Amino acid sequence: MLKREVTSHLLVTLAWLGIVTLLRWSWHWNLILLWLGGLVGTFLLDIDHLLYTLWIYPQELTSIRARNLIEQRRFKDALILLADTHEERTRLVFHSVLFQLVLFVFCFWVLTSTGSLFGTGLVMAMALHLLKDEFELLLLGREEYLRKWLFWQIKTEVSFYHQKLFVVLMLIVFLGLNLLLI
């Protein structure tokens, strides 16, 4: 499970970076910073699982098991455990609708106000990570699970139509932000 998740996120990010690099029509060594930021940003959101496990909900069984593995310095086993049980954690702060909205505003700010290609790659890859997860759940017909982890901060019931509408709107915003990058 861990290898499949890492591979799928990495392939999506590499494809995005390749397309952006080709569309820029400008080949400079500073593009390495965009790629490095993209690679870091791809996996940065997964820190959410560690925060949930170690600090936010340390009393849960999986949290106790993961903490024991970390204390025993069995980091690989802890990562495998967290990957295998990732669907248990539906209240992740970084994997929520409110965080995604703030992230997209931050993406706009980074793209328009800074010249940092590393920062641009970082925040855009984070946004891409969320979009990839959302589209994967929609395509698999797992709209109830998507509602649980994406809209858990919203106290109103979010219909499947509104979930799809939100994800499509976020994709359009992401594509628009890419126009600023190119």
Side-chain angles (χ1 to χ4, degrees), residues 120-162:
T120 298
L122 183 92
V123 295
M124 291 296 284
M126 290 169 65
L128 184 62
H129 176 122
L130 289 172
L131 284 172
K132 182 256 179 212
D133 286 346
E134 293 164 2
F135 270 101
E136 184 176 45
L137 290 173
L138 284 176
L139 292 174
L140 293 173
R142 302 200 50 213
E143 59 271 358
E144 184 59 31
Y145 183 71
L146 177 63
R147 187 187 60 75
K148 281 183 183 176
W149 75 260
L150 186 60
F151 297 98
W152 66 271
Q153 296 167 327
I154 307 298
K155 300 301 177 199
T156 313
E157 185 72 25
V158 179
S159 69
F160 179 57
Y161 170 77
H162 288 106

Side-chain angles (χ1 to χ4, degrees), residues 40-60:
V40 171
T42 298
F43 301 108
L44 191 61
L45 286 183
D46 290 328
I47 289 176
D48 218 4
H49 291 278
L50 288 174
L51 293 174
Y52 181 100
T53 304
L54 300 176
W55 289 287
I56 300 172
Y57 295 102
Q59 72 279 4
E60 292 184 357

